[in-house]
Coordinates of all heavy atoms in Angstrom, one line a residue:
V52 N 126.5 82.6 97.6 CA 127.3 82.4 96.5 C 128.6 81.6 96.9 O 129.0 80.7 96.2 CB 127.7 83.7 95.8 CG1 128.7 83.6 94.7 CG2 126.4 84.3 95.2
D53 N 129.2 82.1 98.0 CA 130.5 81.5 98.4 C 130.3 80.0 98.8 O 131.2 79.2 98.6 CB 131.1 82.2 99.6 CG 131.5 83.6 99.3 OD1 131.7 83.9 98.1 OD2 131.7 84.5 100.2
L54 N 129.1 79.7 99.3 CA 128.9 78.3 99.7 C 128.4 77.4 98.5 O 128.1 76.2 98.7 CB 127.8 78.3 100.8 CG 128.3 78.7 102.2 CD1 127.1 79.0 103.1 CD2 129.2 77.7 102.8
G55 N 128.1 78.1 97.4 CA 127.7 77.3 96.2 C 126.2 77.1 96.1 O 125.7 76.4 95.3
V56 N 125.4 77.9 96.9 CA 124.0 77.8 96.8 C 123.5 78.6 95.6 O 123.9 79.8 95.5 CB 123.3 78.4 98.1 CG1 121.8 78.5 98.0 CG2 123.6 77.5 99.3
P57 N 122.8 78.0 94.7 CA 122.6 78.7 93.4 C 121.5 79.8 93.4 O 121.5 80.6 92.5 CB 122.2 77.6 92.4 CG 121.9 76.4 93.3 CD 122.4 76.6 94.6
A58 N 120.6 79.8 94.4 CA 119.4 80.7 94.2 C 118.9 81.1 95.6 O 119.0 80.4 96.6 CB 118.3 79.9 93.5
V59 N 118.3 82.3 95.5 CA 117.6 82.8 96.7 C 116.1 83.1 96.3 O 115.9 83.5 95.2 CB 118.2 84.1 97.3 CG1 119.5 83.8 98.0 CG2 118.4 85.2 96.3
M60 N 115.2 82.9 97.2 CA 113.8 83.3 97.1 C 113.6 84.5 97.9 O 113.9 84.6 99.1 CB 112.9 82.2 97.6 CG 111.4 82.5 97.6 SD 110.6 82.7 96.0 CE 110.2 81.0 95.7
I61 N 113.2 85.6 97.2 CA 113.1 86.9 97.8 C 111.7 87.3 98.3 O 110.8 87.3 97.5 CB 113.7 88.0 96.9 CG1 115.2 87.7 96.8 CG2 113.5 89.4 97.5 CD1 115.8 88.3 95.5
F62 N 111.6 87.6 99.6 CA 110.4 88.1 100.2 C 110.7 89.5 100.6 O 111.6 89.7 101.5 CB 109.9 87.3 101.4 CG 109.5 85.9 101.0 CD1 110.4 84.8 101.2 CD2 108.3 85.6 100.4 CE1 110.1 83.5 100.8 CE2 108.0 84.3 100.1 CZ 108.9 83.3 100.3
G63 N 110.0 90.5 100.1 CA 110.2 91.9 100.5 C 109.1 92.3 101.5 O 108.0 91.9 101.3
V64 N 109.6 92.9 102.6 CA 108.6 93.4 103.6 C 108.6 94.9 103.5 O 109.5 95.6 104.0 CB 109.1 92.9 105.0 CG1 108.1 93.3 106.1 CG2 109.4 91.4 105.0
I65 N 107.5 95.4 102.9 CA 107.5 96.8 102.6 C 106.9 97.7 103.7 O 106.2 97.1 104.6 CB 106.8 97.1 101.2 CG1 105.3 96.8 101.3 CG2 107.5 96.4 100.1 CD1 104.5 97.2 100.1
K66 N 107.2 99.0 103.7 CA 106.7 99.9 104.7 C 105.2 100.2 104.6 O 104.5 100.1 105.6 CB 107.5 101.2 104.7 CG 108.9 101.1 105.4 CD 109.4 102.5 105.7 CE 110.4 102.9 104.6 NZ 111.1 104.2 104.9
G67 N 104.8 100.5 103.4 CA 103.4 100.9 103.3 C 102.7 100.1 102.2 O 103.1 100.1 101.0
K68 N 101.6 99.3 102.6 CA 100.8 98.6 101.7 C 99.6 99.5 101.3 O 99.3 100.4 102.0 CB 100.3 97.3 102.3 CG 101.5 96.4 102.7 CD 101.0 95.0 103.1 CE 102.2 94.1 103.4 NZ 101.9 92.7 103.7
D69 N 99.0 99.2 100.1 CA 97.9 100.0 99.8 C 96.7 99.1 99.4 O 96.7 97.9 99.6 CB 98.2 101.0 98.6 CG 98.6 100.3 97.4 OD1 98.4 99.1 97.2 OD2 99.2 100.9 96.5
A70 N 95.6 99.7 99.0 CA 94.3 99.0 98.8 C 94.4 97.9 97.7 O 94.0 96.8 97.9 CB 93.2 99.9 98.6
D71 N 95.0 98.3 96.6 CA 95.0 97.4 95.5 C 96.4 96.8 95.1 O 96.6 96.1 94.1 CB 94.4 98.0 94.2 CG 95.2 99.2 93.7 OD1 96.2 99.6 94.4 OD2 94.9 99.8 92.7
G72 N 97.4 97.2 95.9 CA 98.7 96.6 95.7 C 99.5 97.3 94.6 O 100.6 96.9 94.2
S73 N 99.0 98.5 94.1 CA 99.7 99.1 93.0 C 101.0 99.7 93.4 O 101.8 100.1 92.6 CB 98.8 100.2 92.3 OG 98.3 101.1 93.3
V74 N 101.3 99.8 94.7 CA 102.6 100.2 95.3 C 103.7 99.3 94.7 O 104.8 99.8 94.5 CB 102.5 100.1 96.8 CG1 102.3 98.7 97.3 CG2 103.8 100.7 97.4
A75 N 103.3 98.1 94.3 CA 104.3 97.2 93.7 C 104.9 97.7 92.3 O 105.9 97.3 91.9 CB 103.7 95.8 93.5
L76 N 104.0 98.5 91.7 CA 104.4 99.0 90.3 C 105.1 100.3 90.2 O 105.6 100.7 89.2 CB 103.1 99.0 89.4 CG 102.3 97.7 89.4 CD1 101.0 98.0 88.6 CD2 103.0 96.6 88.8
K77 N 105.2 101.0 91.4 CA 105.8 102.3 91.4 C 107.3 102.2 91.0 O 107.9 101.2 91.3 CB 105.7 102.9 92.8 CG 104.3 103.4 93.1 CD 104.3 104.2 94.4 CE 103.0 104.9 94.6 NZ 102.7 105.1 96.0
E78 N 107.8 103.2 90.4 CA 109.2 103.2 89.9 C 110.2 103.0 91.0 O 111.2 102.3 90.8 CB 109.5 104.6 89.3 CG 110.2 104.4 88.0 CD 110.3 105.7 87.2 OE1 109.2 106.1 86.7 OE2 111.3 106.3 87.2
D79 N 109.8 103.5 92.2 CA 110.8 103.4 93.4 C 110.3 102.2 94.3 O 110.6 102.3 95.5 CB 110.9 104.7 94.1 CG 109.6 105.2 94.7 OD1 108.5 104.6 94.3 OD2 109.6 106.0 95.6
A80 N 109.5 101.3 93.8 CA 109.0 100.2 94.6 C 110.2 99.4 95.2 O 111.2 99.2 94.6 CB 108.1 99.3 93.8
F81 N 110.0 99.1 96.5 CA 111.1 98.4 97.2 C 111.6 97.1 96.6 O 112.8 96.9 96.4 CB 110.8 98.2 98.7 CG 111.9 97.6 99.5 CD1 113.1 98.2 99.6 CD2 111.7 96.3 100.1 CE1 114.1 97.7 100.3 CE2 112.7 95.8 100.9 CZ 114.0 96.4 101.0
H82 N 110.7 96.3 96.1 CA 111.1 95.0 95.5 C 112.0 95.3 94.3 O 112.9 94.5 94.0 CB 109.8 94.2 95.0 CG 109.1 93.6 96.2 ND1 108.5 94.3 97.1 CD2 109.0 92.3 96.5 CE1 107.9 93.4 98.0 NE2 108.2 92.2 97.6
L83 N 111.7 96.3 93.5 CA 112.5 96.6 92.3 C 113.9 97.0 92.7 O 114.9 96.6 92.1 CB 111.9 97.7 91.5 CG 110.4 97.4 91.1 CD1 109.9 98.5 90.1 CD2 110.2 96.1 90.5
K84 N 114.0 97.7 93.9 CA 115.3 98.1 94.4 C 116.1 96.8 94.8 O 117.3 96.8 94.6 CB 115.2 99.0 95.6 CG 114.8 100.4 95.3 CD 114.7 101.3 96.6 CE 114.0 102.6 96.3 NZ 113.5 103.2 97.5

Side-chain angles (χ1 to χ4, degrees):
V52 170
D53 293 345
L54 287 164
V56 172
V59 288
M60 171 70 85
I61 292 157
F62 297 99
V64 184
I65 64 172
K66 277 198 262 187
K68 299 188 177 188
D69 61 16
D71 65 354
S73 55
V74 62
L76 305 175
K77 287 192 173 151
E78 222 168 290
D79 62 345
F81 181 58
H82 283 67
L83 307 186
K84 286 183 194 158

